[in-house]
């Protein structure tokens, strides 16, 4: 198969930190002697106690552990703040761009950020938050989100950031799962001119069972909307930090102490609390950020993710701040007030590195080149993508129209579970191929396996696994270690199973093909089919539901639901709308069903298992590719669904 290769730009490589030669040499070293390699890299952090024990991980189930730097001690907030004060105190740490372009941006220096974090950390201690307590952060994209994360890190509290787009029910589930003691929220969020009633959602969530551990709700006054305050539970953020000293003694944390929990969807059940720890996570976020983005002191770096997702954790907050970078935080959306917004912000703040999602690129590509070309983008030197496979057409548009072929594009593959980037080009070292995430990062050993777990050599396609640990790997599912082992380590014993399919070409470059489990990736956001199904069956008129993903031009994948109504209920347009609204209300706006088909029956095996493979093909409108349906209990069910799909 012939494919375009875009060789490393010699001008970029001339000044890059990592070249093709140094990548080859250091990658070989990282695999041959991980302990030596990571002990040396660990020196990029400030340790209270320098670790002597490096990688003690073992994926074998009879002696399983993921453990790095076990005798090291450090504090994440001092690594992100205090150690920069001497040389970068006046440098902008966070450059905040508001939703409305005519409102002023904020340039928060490292010195100011350090002080804000210190005041909140002191306030949290005064409110009774101790090391190991869980604090939930449900905030819009405002600097207080980063301040709150770092304040927790400073005192050893474990934060759980919940994306502001999640519903009260989803928030309640996450509060209950980790017994959060305190919630930090805002009166309202803003996105693209719309308001999000965050405080009202918290009030609703706290009426749900299981959330009684919450003692305090801190409310940031952001839009100034009137919100009811329930005393003594609810406190204004400004009032509690006022008068607190800027200095706050950091807690010395063991490298393996938890740093945060982040809930993410899996193929079964409710979302999992992915737990990341202190030393390995911070090292991996900071080192990948420095290498993949070829970070320089004067860069203005912008990642457009939300802090509610792992990308926001690792590549807006922890990686960039640990590296002393200027990180842009954007409250808005790409199409408000118009489709030039991203490019206008790049020109306004002279952004040099830009990192976004394929779904945003595809949506902007649809608007044509004009909104891009009326801006300069002269400051840009590097582009990145994350979150889902990028189709070669969108990759080329990004490279040619946005970057004018001047800027390498790094397609970075990773997961909430991996903590940081595992497969990506390094811009001064790797030849680029539109649509390929190319090569493993230092210390990463990807492999492709067939359905039986046999490792495939050379050019091949299979399921993507990782053969050994890396410092940023998740340590457990919070409160459910058995689920951690079951989900990731039992399918292919001895390796970590990613849930992704992947192809490796004859050059050894990796091409991620997407999820092979029951997770749908909608606009780069993970949604479990089981979650949407249980939301649907919670509706009194629904008997049964099956949900699958299907290809969607902008979102990558859309949500396709098959719904069986209770006996006596009749399908109608009104009921269809009601069910779609019901699911959005149960889970949040990211769970918008794109297509809902009435299904008088669902295709099941004789043992009662729904055959999703068939439902996926019907959703894609490929009825001639249904494959073997002989094991179905009632094949007529399929013929009905196919006919209705075709006639729809
Ligand atoms: C997908 C986001 C192809 C993949 C950091 C993975 C990608 C899931 C890429 C994780 C990429 C992420 N190319 N697919 N560059 N990046 N994915 O946990 O299916 O929100 O398993 O982490 O997104 O999504 P998560």
């Amino acid at each position: 198969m012939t494919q375009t290769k875009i060789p490393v730009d010699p001008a970029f490589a001339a000044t890059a930190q990592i070249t093709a030669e140094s990548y080859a040499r250091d990658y070989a070293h990282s695999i041959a002697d991980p302990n030596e390699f990571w002990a040396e890299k660990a020196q990029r952090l400030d340790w209270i106690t320098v670790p002597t024990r490096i990688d003690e991980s073992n994926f074998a189930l009879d002696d399983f552990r993921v453990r790095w730097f076990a005798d090291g001690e450090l504090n994440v907030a001092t690594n992100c703040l205090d150690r920069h004060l001497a040389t970068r105190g006046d440098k902008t740490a966070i450059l905040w761009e508001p939703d409305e372009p005519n409102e002023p941006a904020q340039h928060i220096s490292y010195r100011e950020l350090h002080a804000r974090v210190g005041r909140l950390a002191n306030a949290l201690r005064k409110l009774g938050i101790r090391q190991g307590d869980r604090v939930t952060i449900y905030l819009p994209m405002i600097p207080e989100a980063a301040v709150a994360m770092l304040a927790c890190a400073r005192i050893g509290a474990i934060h759980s950031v919940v994306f502001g787009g999640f519903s009260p029910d989803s928030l309640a589930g996450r509060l209950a799962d980790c017994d959060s003691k305190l919630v930090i929220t805002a009166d309202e969020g803003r996105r693209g001119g719309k308001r999000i009633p965050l405080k009202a959602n918290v009030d609703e969530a706290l009426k749900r069972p299981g959330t009684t551990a919450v003692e305090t709700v801190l409310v940031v006054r952001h839009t100034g909307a009137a919100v009811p305050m329930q005393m003594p539970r609810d406190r204004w953020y400004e009032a509690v930090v006022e008068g607190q000293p800027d200095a706050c003694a950091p807690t010395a944390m063991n490298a393996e102490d938890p740093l945060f929990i982040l809930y993410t969807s899996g193929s079964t059940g409710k979302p999992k609390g992915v737990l990341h720890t202190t030393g390995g996570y911070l090292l991996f976020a900071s080192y990948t950020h420095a290498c993949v983005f070829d970070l320089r002191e004067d860069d203005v770096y912008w990642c457009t993710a939300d802090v509610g997702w792992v990308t926001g954790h690792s590549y807006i907050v922890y990686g960039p701040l640990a590296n002393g970078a200027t990180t842009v935080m954007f409250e808005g959306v790409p199409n408000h007030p118009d489709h030039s917004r991203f490019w206008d912000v790049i020109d306004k703040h002279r952004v040099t590195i830009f990192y976004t999602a394929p779904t945003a690129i595809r949506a902007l590509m649809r608007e044509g080149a004009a909104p891009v070309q009326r801006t300069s983008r002269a400051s840009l030197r590097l582009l990145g993508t994350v979150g889902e496979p990028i189709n070669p057409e969108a990759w080329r548009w990004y490279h040619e129209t946005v970057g004018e072929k001047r800027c390498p594009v790094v397609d970075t593959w990773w997961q909430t579970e991996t903590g940081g980037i595992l497969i990506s080009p390094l811009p001064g070292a790797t030849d680029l191929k539109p649509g390929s995430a190319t090569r493993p990062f230092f210390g990463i050993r990807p492999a492709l396996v067939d359905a039986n777990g046999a490792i495939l050599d050379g050019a091949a396609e299979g399921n993507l696994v990782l053969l050994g640990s890396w410092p940023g790997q998740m340590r457990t599912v919070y409160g459910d270690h058995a689920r951690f082992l079951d989900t990731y380590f039992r399918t292919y014993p001895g390796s970590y199973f990613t849930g992704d399919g992947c192809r490796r070409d004859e050059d050894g470059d990796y091409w991620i093909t997407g999820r092979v489990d029951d997770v749908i990736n909608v606009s780069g956001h993970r949604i479990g089919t089981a979650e949407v199904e249980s939301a649907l069956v919670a509706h009194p008129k629904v008997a049964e539901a099956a949900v699958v993903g299907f290809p969607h031009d902008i979102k990558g994948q859309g949500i396709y639901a098959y719904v069986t109504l209770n006996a006596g209920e009749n399908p109608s347009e009104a009921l269809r709308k009601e069910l779609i609204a019901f699911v959005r209300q149960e889970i949040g706006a990211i769970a918008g069903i794109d297509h809902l088909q009435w299904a008088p029956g669902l295709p099941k095996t004789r043992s009662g298992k729904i055959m999703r493979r068939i439902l996926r093909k019907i959703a894609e409108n490929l009825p001639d590719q249904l494959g073997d349906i002989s094991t179905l209990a009632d094949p007529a069910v399929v013929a009905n669904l196919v006919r209705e799909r075709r006639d729809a």
Side-chain angles (χ1 to χ4, degrees):
M1 180 187 184
T2 53
Q3 58 217 350
T4 357
K5 201 185 270 189
I6 298 164
V8 177
D9 178 351
F12 197 102
T15 62
Q17 294 166 40
I18 299 168
T19 60
E21 294 71 40
S22 70
Y23 168 73
R25 187 190 61 227
D26 294 349
Y27 180 76
H29 177 209
S30 73
I31 301 302
D33 194 344
N35 285 309
E36 187 181 86
F37 180 86
W38 289 111
E40 185 196 313
K41 296 307 166 201
Q43 293 171 17
R44 59 186 296 114
L45 299 184
D46 263 12
W47 297 86
I48 299 165
T49 309
V50 175
T52 62
R53 293 160 57 186
I54 310 300
D55 179 15
E56 298 176 334
S57 310
N58 183 359
F59 288 173
L61 287 167
D62 54 358
D63 190 24
F64 181 90
R65 72 199 100 81
V66 178
R67 191 157 72 208
W68 287 83
F69 311 116
D71 60 348
E73 283 186 310
L74 74 166
N75 182 278
V76 165
T78 60
N79 271 280
C80 291
L81 301 167
D82 307 44
R83 66 170 172 155
H84 304 311
L85 295 182
T87 51
R88 301 183 176 115
D90 296 320
K91 180 174 177 176
T92 299
I94 294 179
L95 204 175
W96 182 73
E97 170 69 20
D99 192 36
E100 293 300 337
N102 49 359
E103 288 177 14
Q106 285 179 31
H107 297 250
I108 302 169
S109 68
Y110 272 93
R111 199 181 319 286
E112 172 62 17
L113 186 61
H114 173 262
R116 287 204 205 179
V117 168
R119 289 197 289 271
L120 179 60
N122 283 318
L124 291 176
R125 276 206 181 119
K126 217 174 142 192
L127 289 163
I129 300 301
R130 300 282 170 258
Q131 180 175 352
D133 286 345
R134 275 79 58 211
V135 170
T136 292
I137 299 171
Y138 185 63
L139 281 171
M141 282 292 284
I142 54 176
E144 284 80 358
V147 171
M149 292 162 76
L150 291 162
C152 289
R154 193 158 195 101
I155 63 171
I158 305 169
H159 62 68
S160 160
V161 183
V162 177
F163 174 58
F166 278 118
S167 67
D169 275 325
S170 294
L171 173 62
R174 287 157 171 78
L175 289 168
D177 185 78
C178 68
D179 291 312
S180 272
K181 272 178 87 171
L182 186 139
V183 179
I184 307 179
T185 190
D187 47 9
E188 291 181 319
R190 305 188 301 183
R191 262 171 74 88
K194 295 198 194 88
R195 301 289 174 102
I196 299 122
L198 296 175
K199 172 62 166 64
N201 287 351
V202 172
D203 291 341
E204 273 307 306
L206 292 182
K207 291 179 191 156
R208 305 287 193 278
T211 58
T212 48
V214 174
E215 292 165 6
T216 312
V217 178
L218 297 186
V219 186
V220 177
R221 203 189 289 276
H222 179 47
T223 65
V227 291
M229 296 290 277
Q230 182 181 314
M231 298 303 172
R233 186 194 73 187
D234 300 347
R235 312 279 298 270
W236 290 108
Y237 178 102
E238 292 92 306
V240 302
V241 299
E242 199 184 284
Q244 290 295 329
D246 296 351
C248 172
T251 302
M253 303 292 285
N254 181 275
E256 283 297 344
D257 282 337
L259 176 63
F260 66 83
I261 301 166
L262 184 57
Y263 287 89
T264 191
S265 293
S267 45
T268 55
K270 54 183 182 123
K272 298 185 280 277
V274 169
L275 184 94
H276 281 288
T277 56
T278 298
Y281 171 80
L282 189 68
L283 174 62
F284 199 67
S286 114
Y287 186 48
T288 50
H289 179 255
C291 297
V292 172
F293 299 107
D294 186 45
L295 189 72
R296 298 184 201 165
E297 190 58 45
D298 57 357
D299 274 318
V300 176
Y301 161 88
W302 181 17
C303 166
T304 67
D306 190 285
V307 290
W309 311 114
V310 75
T311 307
H313 284 59
S314 300
Y315 298 116
I316 295 177
V317 179
Y318 289 120
L321 295 178
N323 291 334
T326 295
T327 181
V328 175
M329 203 173 172
F330 177 45
E331 191 187 15
V333 294
N335 58 359
H336 177 79
D338 59 43
H339 292 99
S340 295
R341 186 68 191 277
F342 273 176
W343 328 121
D344 280 336
V345 173
I346 287 170
D347 285 351
K348 178 174 171 188
H349 298 302
R350 306 209 49 74
V351 170
T352 58
I353 303 171
F354 180 68
Y355 189 32
T356 195
T359 188
I361 297 167
R362 288 191 298 265
L364 292 170
M365 183 169 89
R366 194 174 58 171
E367 304 300 323
V372 187
Q373 285 165 348
R374 51 160 287 268
T375 65
S376 144
R377 288 154 286 111
S379 55
L380 281 178
R381 66 182 195 89
L382 180 61
L383 299 169
T385 76
V386 60
E388 45 173 326
I390 180 163
N391 45 314
E393 193 195 358
W395 194 103
R396 282 201 192 85
W397 186 82
Y398 196 36
H399 186 242
E400 288 163 19
T401 304
V402 176
E404 296 171 350
K405 298 190 181 171
R406 282 182 295 111
C407 308
V409 173
V410 289
D411 172 0
T412 65
W413 174 82
W414 60 295
Q415 311 178 296
T416 306
E417 293 89 337
T418 71
I421 295 164
L422 298 197
I423 302 182
S424 170
L426 299 178
T430 317
D431 294 338
L432 305 173
K433 289 176 188 170
S436 171
T438 72
R439 297 299 169 101
F441 190 71
F442 300 116
I444 304 304
R445 288 194 290 149
L448 303 180
V449 294
D450 67 16
N452 303 317
I455 292 187
L456 306 168
D457 292 322
E461 182 158 354
N463 287 347
L464 180 64
V465 300
L466 297 157
L467 299 180
S469 186
W470 60 98
Q473 185 171 23
M474 74 182 282
R475 300 306 197 253
T476 191
V477 171
Y478 185 81
D480 197 350
H481 196 64
R483 190 171 177 199
F484 177 56
L485 299 178
D486 290 346
T487 308
Y488 304 104
F489 299 97
R490 279 197 211 283
T491 321
Y492 301 110
S495 47
Y496 166 87
F497 177 41
T498 61
D500 279 322
C502 183
R503 182 167 69 81
R504 186 174 48 225
D505 67 21
E506 40 291 332
D507 298 330
D509 286 317
Y510 289 84
W511 302 68
I512 311 294
T513 51
R515 303 290 305 195
V516 294
D517 56 7
D518 289 322
V519 172
I520 315 181
N521 190 327
V522 183
S523 303
H525 300 152
R526 281 165 65 165
I527 299 173
T529 52
E531 279 172 81
V532 183
E533 288 164 5
S534 57
L536 279 167
V537 296
H539 190 281
K541 293 184 180 166
V542 174
E544 200 171 25
V547 169
V548 296
F550 74 108
H552 187 286
D553 283 350
I554 302 292
K555 301 181 190 179
Q557 280 192 297
I559 304 180
Y560 197 107
Y562 297 87
V563 172
T564 309
L565 294 174
N566 283 325
E569 300 294 347
N570 291 315
S572 70
E573 210 31 53
L575 183 55
R576 185 198 306 272
K577 290 204 176 103
E578 184 182 323
L579 292 180
I580 292 172
F582 183 78
V583 171
R584 286 171 66 104
Q585 194 196 323
E586 290 275 303
I587 301 176
I590 63 166
I593 293 173
D594 298 278
H595 197 109
L596 191 153
Q597 178 172 348
W598 304 115
L602 290 169
K604 291 183 187 165
T605 59
R606 285 182 197 98
S607 60
K609 200 171 168 322
I610 294 177
M611 294 191 73
R612 290 163 191 288
R613 169 178 64 79
I614 293 175
L615 292 175
R616 274 188 218 112
K617 290 297 176 194
I618 298 174
E620 284 179 52
N621 216 352
L622 296 170
D624 45 345
Q625 294 180 22
L626 294 183
D628 181 14
I629 57 170
S630 62
T631 54
L632 283 178
D634 177 10
V637 163
V638 172
N640 275 332
L641 291 176
V642 167
R643 192 171 338 102
E644 287 199 9
R645 171 70 173 135
R646 192 192 53 218
D647 298 343

